[in-house]
């Protein structure tokens, strides 16, 4: 059972455009939603994360939009640059003082920014 | 550089063998997580340790085990290796139980022949 569904699988965007990646989750107990960026041969790097008490979080060119009722969240990359070409993963987990679960990841989106 | 270190970078071994992967968390982080990344299964959570104690288990096989030592480094032991165990193994660390910002190491690429 795939608890976090990510789309699209691959995405090509022109330089300067907006890249949008979507995720949907099933487990309503999830309360922490990060996005990771991974370059070939490297480990995933934390980009930005959101908790369900806010609907949007922005850090530089990266914005997470969160819709709790629809159980969906998305990553928007504004003014996309060739250096943003990478694989992006959404993830979800529960955070609590009794024990934080490991992250449940989506399958990833391979993003290519064309110059 | 996340501050998480993993050794070795690459490991090639044969079916049926046993290997140990090592991880040192970021300075001050008490939680260590292990993940497996493969083409067919994607990124999967295996197990978490907090300050030496096992705290959460994911899709970890019985042939796999882990531990966290008093100096907070962690080891993942993989035994009776099969071809399907070939994958990238990542360690991540975070400050503690309530802070779930996880920082990943560079990974160990395991190839089972």
């Amino acid at each position: 059972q795939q608890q976090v569904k990510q789309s699209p699988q691959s995405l090509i965007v022109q330089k300067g455009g907006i890249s949008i990646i979507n995720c949907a989750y099933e487990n309503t107990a999830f309360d922490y939603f990060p996005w990771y960026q991974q370059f070939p041969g490297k480990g995933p790097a934390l980009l930005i994360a959101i908790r369900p008490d806010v609907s949007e979080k922005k850090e530089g060119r990266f914005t997470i939009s969160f819709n709790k009722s629809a159980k969906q969240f998305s990553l928007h990359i504004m003014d996309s640059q060739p250096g943003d070409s990478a694989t992006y993963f959404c993830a979800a987990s529960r955070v609590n003082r009794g024990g934080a679960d490991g992250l449940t990841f989506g399958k990833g989106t391979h993003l290519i920014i064309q110059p | 550089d996340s501050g998480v270190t993993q050794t070795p970078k690459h490991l090639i071994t044969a079916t049926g063998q046993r290997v140990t992967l090592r991880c040192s968390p970021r300075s001050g982080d008490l939680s260590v997580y292990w993940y497996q990344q493969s083409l067919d299964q994607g990124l999967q959570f295996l197990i978490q340790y907090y300050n030496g104690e096992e705290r959460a288990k994911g899709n970890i096989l019985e042939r796999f085990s882990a531990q966290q030592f008093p100096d907070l480094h962690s080891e993942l032991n993989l035994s009776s290796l099969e071809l399907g165990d070939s994958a990238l193994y990542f360690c991540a660390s975070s400050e503690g139980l309530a802070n779930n910002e996880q920082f990943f190491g560079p990974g160990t690429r395991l190839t089972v022949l």
Side-chain angles (χ1 to χ4, degrees):
Chain A
Q1 181 188 6
Q2 187 184 350
Q3 294 196 55
V4 178
K5 292 184 180 178
Q6 183 172 345
S7 63
Q9 202 170 353
S10 60
L11 181 62
I12 299 174
V13 174
Q14 295 297 314
K15 179 183 173 183
I18 303 173
S19 304
I20 302 173
I21 304 171
N22 301 298
C23 281
Y25 63 98
E26 299 168 5
N27 188 346
T28 54
F30 287 149
D31 56 5
Y32 173 72
F33 303 89
W35 284 90
Y36 282 82
Q37 177 190 58
Q38 187 177 29
F39 292 105
K42 303 289 185 183
L46 179 63
L47 261 182
I48 186 172
I50 198 168
R51 299 283 171 99
D53 52 345
V54 296
S55 60
E56 187 175 280
K57 183 175 180 181
K58 184 176 180 178
E59 287 184 4
R61 296 186 294 111
F62 301 94
T63 299
I64 298 181
S65 297
F66 185 82
N67 186 329
K68 188 173 180 178
S69 60
K71 292 188 287 184
Q72 294 176 347
F73 58 111
S74 60
L75 176 69
H76 295 231
I77 306 174
M78 314 299 286
D79 187 27
S80 299
Q81 299 297 312
D84 297 331
S85 298
T87 301
Y88 291 80
F89 293 93
C90 63
S93 75
R94 295 179 303 173
V95 180
N96 57 69
R97 294 199 176 277
D101 292 348
L103 295 166
T104 299
F105 282 91
K107 292 289 189 185
T109 295
H110 184 49
L111 174 65
I112 297 173
I113 307 300
Q114 288 188 333
Chain B
D1 185 0
S2 67
V4 178
T5 60
Q6 289 186 249
T7 57
K9 209 169 182 178
H10 301 277
L11 201 47
I12 302 174
T13 188
T15 54
Q17 294 299 304
R18 173 190 167 97
V19 297
T20 297
L21 313 184
R22 183 188 167 105
C23 166
S24 292
R26 294 186 320 159
S27 175
D29 284 358
L30 298 179
S31 267
V32 169
Y33 301 78
W34 285 98
Y35 292 86
Q36 180 194 61
Q37 185 175 34
S38 62
L39 279 174
D40 52 343
Q41 297 293 326
L43 264 166
Q44 287 203 96
F45 166 64
L46 296 178
I47 197 165
Q48 180 215 358
Y49 278 81
Y50 173 75
N51 205 20
E53 291 185 6
E54 180 186 308
R55 283 291 180 161
K57 255 184 175 178
N59 298 321
I60 189 166
L61 299 172
E62 283 193 13
R63 300 183 284 108
F64 296 1
S65 64
Q67 53 184 328
Q68 186 179 28
F69 295 87
D71 67 352
L72 301 177
H73 90 271
S74 178
E75 293 181 356
L76 179 67
N77 300 297
L78 315 176
S79 62
S80 303
L81 285 167
E82 302 175 359
L83 295 178
D85 297 328
S86 296
L88 269 167
Y89 291 85
F90 289 104
C91 166
S93 72
S94 70
E95 286 182 0
L97 290 176
N99 181 347
N100 208 29
E101 282 192 344
Q102 296 181 30
F103 297 89
F104 281 70
T108 293
R109 180 173 292 280
L110 174 66
T111 303
V112 182
L113 300 175

